[in-house]
Amino acid sequence: MSALFEPYTLRLLTVPNRVWMAPMCQYSAEADGPNAGVPGDWHFAHYAARATGGTGLILTEATAVSPEGRISPHDLGIWNDTQVEAFRRITGFLKAQGTVPGVQIAHAGRKASTGRPWEGGAPVGPEAGGWQPFGPSPVAFDEGHPVPDALTTGQIAEVVGQFADAARRALDAGFEVVEVHGAHGYLIGEFLSPHSNHRTDEYGGSFGNRIRLALEVVGAVRAVWPEDLPVFFRISATDWLDDKGWTADETVRFAALLKEHGVDLLDVSSGGNAARVRIPVGPGYQVPFAARVKAETGLPVAAVGLITEAEQAEKIVSNGEADAVLLGRELLRSPSWARQAAHELGGRVRVPEQYHRSV
């Protein structure tokens, strides 16, 4: 039996296999009006294709907890009931295919209000339908990006409440996993790193202060999320800035605390908080970070980053480096990757009856 296609249980939720879909922004929602942030036909087709292809768990793209929390004006959101109703159509279909639906709830912080990548991805100002971003400190992400407004402690409390409200709505929308986005230089990750967090109050400076917002968000989400369903946290294991940013050592230390606060799995990525950093990209280049967290803390992990081949993914899981793999670009290229990998490895996935001739 292939380890990649063994079921995996967290709390009382069982995922049918260890091939999971990583969150990937589609930048395809309406930007304003009553349908702003609402998933549409593109999103339904996008997620449905990967579910019929055998993917065990699908995490939505970064789904904003507030309008100002979107990376771009065209991102999905989960701050109102119209969005919830539209998501039900997607989660219902995924469940019918045997796929677990998960949502990544997020706030873009200082990296908010940018254009779509295929339109250049530059910051979008208020005059063009964007807004003024905010973050832990008045430190711009890069040249040409606006200096964000520094959040007050009162505004921080509001953001924590927005994450809790988003988790409540996610449950109502039919999701069975909620993932807090703390990676890639977005708001929570900005607070974690001394590269972007220059605060001198209780939310900045020491390691304990910099992780405060993350733990408050996790606590607020866990308080409204059912005890029998899992909470994930996505982390950038390193800023790739040596000791000038967030480090792998801090990730391990933080992971142990997340475990104590009710997080069930760490989704381990890296980078995104510092512009123009050289990252040694290669097949499975982030897997060692996940493996270290698992080995040193016992917290379950999912590995991500240039995982493209069936045998590569099988080794990661069978060797105990990670409990699951999260595929991104490879699932964009091959929506039925899980079905093909099962064929290669002798595993099994559910195949829709309409596709029985493909087996």
Side-chain angles (χ1 to χ4, degrees):
M1 178 67 179
S2 163
L4 194 61
F5 291 95
E6 291 179 359
Y8 188 60
T9 299
L10 289 164
R11 297 196 180 234
L12 297 184
L13 178 70
T14 298
V15 185
N17 60 55
R18 317 296 183 94
V19 179
W20 300 353
M21 181 172 169
M24 290 175 285
C25 288
Q26 299 296 292
Y27 307 102
S28 297
E30 292 188 25
D32 51 29
N35 288 321
V38 174
D41 288 346
W42 175 266
H43 302 93
F44 180 86
H46 172 63
Y47 294 119
R50 279 79 197 167
T52 57
T55 307
L57 181 149
I58 289 176
L59 288 167
T60 65
E61 63 183 85
T63 303
V65 301
S66 69
E68 299 78 18
R70 292 173 291 175
I71 301 167
S72 86
H74 294 279
D75 284 11
L76 293 182
I78 195 160
W79 65 79
N80 66 41
D81 292 340
T82 302
Q83 295 157 348
V84 168
E85 185 61 34
F87 270 123
R88 287 192 188 122
R89 178 185 176 213
I90 294 173
T91 60
F93 185 84
L94 266 55
K95 290 176 183 177
Q97 307 312 308
T99 296
V100 172
V103 60
Q104 185 188 70
I105 53 176
H107 194 299
R110 67 175 182 166
K111 293 175 72 174
S113 192
T114 60
R116 295 189 279 200
W118 55 86
E119 296 171 345
V124 177
E127 73 285 350
W131 56 92
Q132 169 63 20
F134 50 79
S137 305
V139 180
F141 171 66
D142 194 10
E143 296 176 5
H145 285 247
V147 175
D149 293 337
L151 286 165
T152 66
T153 53
Q155 289 172 321
I156 290 172
E158 290 177 6
V159 168
V160 173
Q162 289 168 350
F163 272 92
D165 290 342
R168 287 192 196 95
R169 289 193 175 96
L171 185 66
D172 191 25
F175 289 103
E176 296 176 303
V177 171
V178 62
E179 175 173 273
V180 175
H181 196 356
H184 301 156
Y186 299 119
L187 186 66
I188 293 175
E190 292 164 16
F191 271 84
L192 293 177
S193 174
H195 175 73
S196 46
N197 184 348
H198 298 178
R199 298 176 74 98
T200 57
D201 64 1
E202 66 269 34
Y203 288 94
S206 69
F207 172 82
N209 283 353
R210 286 184 281 115
I211 68 171
R212 190 181 304 278
L213 172 62
L215 293 183
E216 287 179 351
V217 168
V218 165
V221 168
R222 185 75 266 180
V224 301
W225 196 247
E227 281 294 315
D228 58 353
L229 293 178
V231 171
F232 292 4
F233 190 98
R234 187 166 228 196
I235 188 80
S236 281
T238 175
D239 285 339
W240 298 103
L241 292 171
D242 297 323
D243 60 352
K244 297 178 182 178
W246 181 259
T247 68
D249 288 344
E250 288 179 311
T251 291
V252 173
R253 186 178 173 190
F254 180 47
L257 294 171
L258 288 173
K259 184 179 180 182
E260 292 176 5
H261 283 75
V263 167
D264 301 286
L265 180 139
L266 194 66
D267 171 358
V268 186
S269 187
S270 72
N273 193 41
R276 289 170 285 159
V277 172
R278 290 188 179 182
I279 299 175
V281 175
Y285 71 104
Q286 295 171 150
V287 174
F289 296 120
R292 182 181 171 193
V293 168
K294 182 176 172 64
E296 295 187 26
T297 71
L299 180 66
V301 297
V304 64
L306 287 183
I307 298 169
T308 60
E309 305 297 329
E311 290 206 3
Q312 175 195 20
E314 174 73 13
K315 287 179 181 178
I316 291 168
V317 175
S318 64
N319 290 347
E321 295 173 281
D323 299 284
V325 293
L326 282 157
L327 274 61
R329 292 174 179 86
E330 193 61 24
L331 274 175
L332 295 183
R333 290 185 284 264
S334 304
S336 297
W337 190 94
R339 192 187 313 157
Q340 180 60 36
H343 177 74
E344 292 179 27
L345 298 171
R348 287 187 178 183
V349 293
R350 183 183 184 277
V351 178
E353 292 179 355
Q354 296 90 333
Y355 290 173
H356 73 277
R357 283 170 291 185
S358 69
V359 177

